Amino acid sequence: MASSIYDFTVKDQQGNDVSLADYRGRVLLVVNTATECGFTPTYAQLQELYTALHERGLDILDFPCDQFGHQAPGTNEEIAQFCTSRFGVTFPQFAKIEVNGEGADPLFTYLQQQKGFEGFDDGHELTPILEDLLSKDDPDYAGKPDIKWNFTKFLVDREGNVVRRFEPTASIPDVVAPAVEELL
């Protein structure tokens, strides 16, 4: 059983193994993303955060996921090209994965075990839409730890401990950035 995020190996965009132990001593923001989602502009905010805080010890690990409304079509290369050309993404992007269900990547199963769903931001314009959509599929969705949508973010401290989970509705500048700064 994993004792920290450093116990996991993931695939890079070319399918090569990458040990998350390579990030030991860094603050991590692990995100499942999509290129055709209402939250896709979050890439720009993530890049701003990465640019501002990378030298102080932040890494953002991007895992494209096509499980939510088929909003991450394309190959790993096509997704990377989109992110680079449209949003100037320079943080590490990994191979497309599943985050829920039988095919879920073990990393994301672990992340969910560490920090479950605590609700969407009440003030976000997409919260009512997400709540309506999710409750139609599963009236008990809020009581389960699974990933609810694209751009769910997990904050990991320098020791590899998952310390926070941010739903896609969490503001990067107002909520996520200050939490990251606390760990730097």
Side-chain angles (χ1 to χ4, degrees), residues 5-23 61 63 92-95 105 107:
I5 197 168
Y6 303 137
D7 295 330
F8 293 92
T9 298
V10 295
K11 299 282 186 192
D12 68 12
Q13 290 176 328
Q14 291 75 39
N16 301 312
D17 286 343
V18 176
S19 171
L20 292 185
D22 293 350
Y23 293 96
L61 309 183
F63 292 88
Q93 294 184 288
F94 295 86
D105 186 280
L107 170 62

Side-chain angles (χ1 to χ4, degrees), residues 65-87:
C65 176
D66 198 32
Q67 282 188 287
F68 305 99
H70 195 56
Q71 295 178 344
T75 65
N76 291 330
E77 185 176 278
E78 290 167 338
I79 290 169
Q81 177 61 31
F82 171 86
C83 294
T84 303
S85 65
R86 181 113 184 251
F87 297 105

